[in-house]
Amino acid sequence: MLPYIIRRLLLIVPTLFAIMAINFAIVQFAPGGPVEQLLAEIEGTAVSATARVGGQAGSEAGGGQQRAGGASQQGGESNYRGAQGLDPKFIAEIEKQFGFDKPPLERFGLMIGNYLTFDFGRSYFRDETVVNLVLEKMPVSISLGIWTTLLVYLISIPLGIAKAVRDGSRFDVWTSMVVIVGNAVPSFLFAILLIVLFAGGQYFDWFPLRGLTSDNWEAMSWPSRIADYFWHLALPLSAMLIGSFATLTLLTKNSFLEEINKQFVVTARAKGLTENQVLYGHVFRNAMLIVIAGFPSAFIGILFTSTLLIEIIFSLDGLGLLGFEAVINRDYPVMFATLYFFTLLGLLMGIVSDVMYMLIDPRIDFESRRS
């Protein structure tokens, strides 16, 4: 197992480099950029995801990129939209401030070099380091990700096992209807319904709509803090659960059904073992292999992809919203630093998934497969 893990860890380096290089190249051809965004702000025509604080430039390590390789001055005319009538020296100063006075390859090399030393630069428009921004937003996304994943597994695995054992029964039929509805309703639409029903939208005003805690949270006792925390999480978690539990429930049911119909289960029953002994002593480990081993990737998916619209709808300032705002505002240091971090974490979680496969079922040997 150890040689396999070492090889996978070494493979992270070229994989991560390739992903960063491809995204860097794509951004070169994307319309707009931080320079054009700042010029639009000067002219009052900018479209921003959030209000900006100042025009603080990021460091060169932020990986500044600009369409068509920057804005070289040709014949006194700028390549930037919205730069007409502005002094070329002023445009050049903005380029230098954002690091666009260097060619793309040099900027990419500086970015990767600084990332290797964990220097992710500063946000262009927030006057804050990228690391501080990520750490500031992390509690919201971690809270949503951990609790959603935990609740999904606590609900889906027992429900999936019960459906497999009672396959074709009335219980299986009506729970399947619930699962189908949950799989069909988008999380964001269910979130809006929850707001209308329970957050003062039209009927009841039982739950808050902003943040993870109340304004007076610091003055509360610890029991009150815990209650307040889950009070704020109730609606966002419910919205995220509606779609997530359906997929895992069906996966668990199908995995157990496949194992229950195998010959070794018939043999175990013939030996006089009870149904619980057969189910949890023989079927459970084999059936749960794919479910448990997929936990790391499921957590990453919930943490970094499923929370964006939920964070926007419930005004939760997390990593999903941060990444969205960075794309809209062309805040390249935040964009590329979060991409680097999330990609690295995803690759590491892939290794964890493989290790969990081997720990759960020692018969799986990636080394022998490779040979």
Side-chain angles (χ1 to χ4, degrees):
M1 182 187 298
L2 184 59
Y4 172 78
I5 295 175
I6 293 175
R7 279 197 303 271
R8 287 292 302 274
L9 289 173
L10 293 176
L11 189 61
I12 286 178
V13 177
T15 304
L16 184 59
F17 180 84
I19 292 174
M20 297 300 296
I22 291 172
N23 282 273
F24 183 93
I26 292 174
V27 167
Q28 305 308 305
F29 299 98
V35 174
E36 291 183 357
Q37 197 79 358
L38 184 58
L39 293 176
E41 284 190 0
I42 294 174
E43 295 184 348
T45 60
V47 178
S48 174
T50 55
R52 304 263 182 72
V53 180
Q56 176 69 30
S59 66
E60 295 172 0
Q65 298 83 18
Q66 176 60 14
R67 180 184 175 189
S72 59
Q73 304 296 324
Q74 298 177 352
E77 295 184 359
S78 173
N79 291 333
Y80 294 111
R81 291 175 298 178
Q84 290 78 10
L86 295 178
D87 187 354
K89 293 183 179 179
F90 174 69
I91 303 298
E93 183 63 28
I94 294 178
E95 286 183 329
K96 184 177 181 180
Q97 189 178 24
F98 285 115
F100 297 146
D101 55 332
K102 300 178 177 64
L105 286 178
E106 184 178 350
R107 282 185 272 134
F108 180 72
L110 287 172
M111 181 183 73
I112 294 299
N114 286 323
Y115 281 9
L116 292 176
T117 60
F118 301 100
D119 179 7
F120 298 103
R122 299 181 66 86
S123 168
Y124 284 157
F125 303 108
R126 289 176 178 262
D127 193 20
E128 187 72 72
T129 64
V130 174
V131 173
N132 287 342
L133 281 174
V134 171
L135 292 177
E136 178 184 344
K137 314 300 181 183
M138 187 72 77
V140 173
S141 295
I142 290 293
S143 294
L144 290 174
I146 288 179
W147 290 115
T148 300
T149 306
L150 180 62
L151 290 174
V152 164
Y153 272 76
L154 288 177
I155 295 173
S156 299
I157 292 177
L159 180 59
I161 295 174
K163 285 174 63 62
V165 173
R166 299 171 176 83
D167 185 42
S169 67
R170 185 175 299 178
F171 171 82
D172 182 41
V173 172
W174 72 259
T175 53
S176 293
M177 295 177 60
V178 175
V179 170
I180 291 172
V181 172
N183 201 32
V185 177
S187 296
F188 73 91
L189 189 60
F190 188 64
I192 295 174
L193 177 64
L194 291 176
I195 291 175
V196 172
L197 293 177
F198 303 114
Q202 188 171 351
Y203 296 97
F204 305 102
D205 190 8
W206 292 347
F207 296 95
L209 274 178
R210 183 177 297 275
L212 287 182
T213 57
S214 301
D215 294 335
N216 62 336
W217 189 79
E218 293 290 342
M220 296 179 180
S221 62
W222 276 109
S224 298
R225 289 184 181 184
I226 295 173
D228 181 75
Y229 171 72
F230 284 106
W231 180 49
H232 282 75
L233 277 177
L235 295 188
L237 288 181
S238 299
M240 294 184 66
L241 283 173
I242 189 66
S244 301
F245 93 96
T247 302
L248 186 59
T249 299
L250 292 178
L251 177 62
T252 304
K253 176 189 174 182
N254 293 334
S255 297
F256 270 80
L257 279 178
E258 182 180 355
E259 295 296 324
I260 287 174
N261 295 323
K262 287 185 177 180
Q263 184 61 41
F264 76 90
V265 176
V266 177
T267 303
R269 286 171 176 164
K271 291 181 178 180
L273 297 180
T274 65
E275 282 299 315
N276 283 338
Q277 288 176 325
V278 172
L279 184 64
Y280 296 104
H282 293 77
V283 175
F284 186 82
R285 189 177 72 173
N286 292 336
M288 290 302 296
L289 174 62
I290 188 173
V291 177
I292 297 176
F295 176 84
S297 58
F299 175 70
I300 293 297
I302 292 174
L303 182 60
F304 298 127
T305 60
S306 302
T307 61
L308 173 57
L309 290 177
I310 300 300
E311 289 179 8
I312 294 175
I313 293 173
F314 289 100
S315 300
L316 298 173
D317 197 7
L319 291 175
L321 187 58
L322 175 66
F324 173 75
E325 292 175 352
V327 173
I328 297 299
N329 297 335
R330 303 300 192 270
D331 198 344
Y332 290 153
V334 177
M335 282 176 53
F336 281 88
T338 52
L339 174 66
Y340 179 88
F341 173 74
F342 295 158
T343 303
L344 179 61
L345 187 58
L347 292 172
L348 291 174
M349 288 298 101
I351 299 176
V352 173
S353 294
D354 288 347
V355 172
M356 290 185 68
Y357 269 114
M358 291 184 283
L359 292 177
I360 295 172
D361 190 349
R363 295 172 298 177
I364 296 179
D365 187 0
F366 291 105
E367 290 292 330
S368 62
R369 288 187 179 184
R370 180 175 177 273
S371 60

